[in-house]
Amino acid sequence: MTSRGTPSRFLQSVLQNGVGRYVCQLKRISLIFSKKAQSSLGVREFIEEGVVDYAKKNPSTVVYVSPQASRIPKIVAEYLNGSVREEIITNKTSPQVLELLTKLTNQSGLDIIRIRKPFHTDSPSIQGQWHPFTNRPPSIGPIRPQKQDNK
Amino acid sequence: MASGYILNRGALTLGIHCQRVCRNISVTQVREKKRWMRAYTYLMEKKLKLEGPPPPKPRSQLPNWDYHAEVQAFSNRLHENFSLELLKTAFINPCYLQAEQERRRGLGVDSEAAALVLKDNIQLSSTGAALTKSFLTDWCRASFPSLPSEGVEGIVGHLTSLTVVAHVARNLGVEDLTMSAECPVPDDVIHHTFMAVIGALEKSSGVERTGYFLRDFLATQLIGKDLFDIWTVVNPMGLLVEELTKRNIALPEPRLIRAAGASTVLPLYFVGLYSDKKLLAQGPGETLVAAEEEAARVALRKIYGYTENRRPSDFSPPQQHQQPLITSVSSN
């Protein structure tokens, strides 16, 4: 599919975040893993080593660690705007899990689709948008080419 | 009927499987094509289509929920020092208390044996609402000094309206923590709760911090909004005349400046307002009346200092919270 056919949005933030103060948009994260399975070896390692540090570093995020009899370990991230993202972390090592967690923490929770431009403004022009009447002397009637001065 | 028949058959085959399982215990699973699966999924789909999706559940009834940790995280997220007792009280709505008491009565629990010892947030909410109104009024007066009191009232009314406050509260995660009788929390309950949160903040960290909180979360909603979308003025020309007489400026005189396509379906007129032979403002419109009204609105925006290209309001953090580390680095 060409890029024009894919869904897209403008660059935006939730609730003008960062204008007044920055609010971390990740509200809750649950690490779902198995106590025995080979595929969640890295997650178990991460839980032993790094999860407490992560939770201390991000006091605004609630971290839940829930062992379940499942072969596919995953991270369920819930954001302030109500969106929920599930990331599957099968066979990921402990640093990889931490990397993924950091990425999820820094995201805003808005849907991840093509962003049209890397910048956005609500008021694109300070002077006002150009229209055929700008910088024209006041006159009534159809628009004609401006008179040349030298004639 | 057909589905019932299939279900019967499914039950029959299931019975056979059970027998097989009972006969030789070592085999616990039958490996074959699951012919019942198709009928079962079909039935479930049909049920979903008839009954619709199940009603939404509050987040507190889903797995992985620790109320104390959530409240603490809420306080940390907003970078405020709430007293947690007050904050927890702020989330308890009177409608929840009523529903809970009725539920307990329905279950036959003694009201004395298991009394519901919870305070509701009515008082906090009323203090919060009063504080919000007074702070936002002061803030508007300071930011737009030439705006009349009706305009300030309009802006404050917009910022404290049900939709705006509910939108802010939903995007700050208040909805999950709110204790309400109904599950998708209605707008008025969430508005009430957010006001109670503001009241709790005022009681735990003082008026000044609450002011910064309101400025950062409610006043920022004004960014990108037009004055006359917020404040409905029926007769802008009359208001402009009033304002000009107050300032001792000659009365506006509307003149048709430009026109295009007057005989087509898309006519365009530009009306300029002159006072003392000086152009106050000009505005476009499809008819002469609409263009004159628009020109009056443009002139009012200029007078009140609420144009689109005005200097942005100051939302910088309070000075006392600059960390000494940063200042020492910048001084080096």
Side-chain angles (χ1 to χ4, degrees):
Chain A
M1 195 182 264
T2 55
S3 67
R4 282 185 69 186
T6 55
S8 62
R9 63 172 170 88
F10 288 105
L11 191 66
Q12 57 182 351
S13 68
V14 181
L15 273 194
Q16 316 278 1
N17 190 9
V19 173
R21 63 183 83 172
Y22 175 72
V23 175
C24 177
Q25 296 292 310
L26 182 67
K27 62 178 169 185
R28 192 172 302 125
I29 207 159
S30 350
L31 295 167
I32 293 165
F33 68 104
S34 163
K35 279 186 182 175
K36 289 182 208 161
Q38 170 68 36
S39 54
S40 35
L41 180 67
V43 194
R44 288 197 297 266
E45 216 170 78
F46 174 72
I47 284 163
E48 280 191 9
E49 291 170 1
V51 79
V52 177
D53 288 346
Y54 173 81
K56 272 183 189 159
K57 226 182 264 174
N58 299 286
S60 56
T61 309
V62 191
V63 182
Y64 295 100
V65 173
S66 62
Q68 287 172 12
S70 67
R71 256 192 239 170
I72 304 168
K74 58 188 173 186
I75 299 176
V76 182
E78 288 169 53
Y79 287 92
L80 281 181
N81 64 353
S83 64
V84 181
R85 279 192 69 197
E86 280 190 19
E87 292 278 340
I88 289 170
I89 39 170
T90 313
N91 293 335
K92 289 244 164 87
T93 58
S94 165
Q96 278 172 334
V97 173
L98 182 62
E99 203 176 308
L100 190 64
L101 269 188
T102 320
K103 190 187 97 183
L104 287 174
T105 313
N106 293 336
Q107 279 175 349
S108 70
L110 297 166
D111 32 343
I112 296 171
I113 49 180
R114 180 167 63 87
I115 294 173
R116 293 194 184 180
K117 286 173 193 169
F119 43 81
H120 183 70
T121 171
D122 285 334
S123 44
S125 172
I126 292 175
Q127 301 174 349
Q129 202 178 6
W130 184 90
H131 51 86
F133 293 116
T134 25
N135 305 326
R136 246 170 209 287
S139 67
I140 305 171
I143 299 173
R144 291 194 189 82
Q146 280 182 344
K147 281 175 191 165
Q148 300 290 320
D149 286 340
N150 51 10
K151 275 181 188 175
Chain B
M1 284 308 290
S3 60
Y5 173 68
I6 289 163
L7 259 195
N8 269 341
R9 282 201 53 189
L12 260 180
T13 47
L14 200 71
I16 291 163
H17 294 163
C18 283
Q19 277 177 2
R20 252 189 235 167
V21 169
C22 292
R23 241 183 284 149
N24 40 350
I25 298 158
S26 58
V27 180
T28 53
Q29 201 178 0
V30 180
R31 290 191 166 188
E32 61 177 8
K33 175 141 176 41
K34 296 181 179 67
R35 284 163 67 197
W36 51 270
M37 185 58 121
R38 188 174 164 155
Y40 175 74
T41 48
Y42 176 73
L43 198 71
M44 284 296 127
E45 269 171 24
K46 207 172 170 187
K47 195 181 158 208
L48 186 71
K49 207 173 173 184
L50 281 176
E51 293 177 3
K57 260 189 178 180
R59 182 61 185 83
S60 51
Q61 289 177 20
L62 297 176
N64 287 342
W65 179 261
D66 179 354
Y67 189 67
H68 183 78
E70 296 281 343
V71 171
Q72 215 165 12
F74 177 82
S75 160
N76 276 321
R77 183 178 305 142
L78 303 179
H79 307 290
E80 298 287 355
N81 286 320
F82 282 100
S83 101
L84 290 186
E85 287 302 311
L86 274 174
L87 191 56
K88 278 181 186 173
T89 315
F91 285 124
I92 298 165
N93 281 299
C95 66
Y96 168 76
L97 283 187
Q98 263 186 4
E100 183 67 17
Q101 265 162 0
E102 257 170 44
R103 199 174 67 92
R104 289 191 181 189
R105 214 173 296 140
L107 289 172
V109 179
D110 267 347
S111 57
E112 289 154 17
L116 202 59
V117 207
L118 290 173
K119 266 172 71 183
D120 56 10
N121 60 4
I122 292 178
Q123 204 192 343
L124 283 176
S125 180
S126 58
T127 56
L131 182 73
T132 309
K133 203 160 190 185
S134 70
F135 173 79
L136 285 179
T137 310
D138 290 347
W139 183 82
C140 279
R141 290 239 169 87
S143 317
F144 312 108
S146 43
L147 205 64
S149 56
E150 295 93 43
V152 171
E153 248 172 55
I155 290 180
V156 172
H158 169 77
L159 286 181
T160 54
S161 69
L162 219 56
T163 47
V164 173
V165 172
H167 175 246
V168 170
R170 290 227 160 83
N171 282 297
L172 288 179
V174 175
E175 196 182 13
D176 289 352
L177 295 166
T178 305
M179 298 206 175
S180 151
E182 293 164 56
C183 173
V185 185
D187 273 4
D188 55 331
V189 174
I190 211 165
H191 179 272
H192 194 253
T193 315
F194 191 68
M195 289 301 157
V197 169
I198 290 167
L201 178 62
E202 193 248 322
K203 276 198 180 165
S204 39
S205 350
V207 180
E208 198 187 345
R209 290 292 301 169
T210 319
Y212 283 119
F213 178 87
L214 286 171
R215 190 200 67 178
D216 287 349
F217 291 111
L218 278 185
T220 45
Q221 292 303 302
L222 222 56
I223 294 173
K225 292 265 164 58
D226 181 41
L227 177 64
F228 295 108
D229 287 347
I230 299 170
W231 171 33
T232 39
V233 174
V234 183
N235 181 13
M237 201 60 194
L239 191 63
L240 180 64
V241 169
E242 246 177 61
E243 286 293 327
L244 291 185
T245 44
K246 232 187 257 174
R247 280 151 224 246
N248 288 328
I249 306 173
L251 291 187
E253 194 184 335
R255 288 281 177 88
L256 182 64
I257 303 178
R258 283 147 191 168
S263 59
T264 63
V265 286
L266 288 171
L268 174 68
Y269 301 100
F270 267 77
V271 167
L273 293 181
Y274 288 86
S275 130
D276 250 353
K277 296 187 180 173
K278 264 189 260 168
L279 186 66
L280 269 184
Q282 55 173 339
E286 285 206 342
T287 59
L288 284 174
V289 181
E292 192 188 328
E293 204 181 298
E294 182 56 36
R297 283 181 200 276
V298 171
L300 280 177
R301 264 183 225 126
K302 275 186 189 166
I303 288 173
Y304 294 152
Y306 201 102
T307 47
E308 252 182 23
N309 53 2
R310 68 182 186 273
R311 193 190 167 84
S313 314
D314 180 27
F315 291 113
S316 55
Q319 288 302 311
Q320 65 205 24
H321 284 266
Q322 269 190 355
Q323 281 146 19
L325 190 76
I326 296 169
T327 51
S328 70
V329 166
S330 61
S331 66
N332 283 338

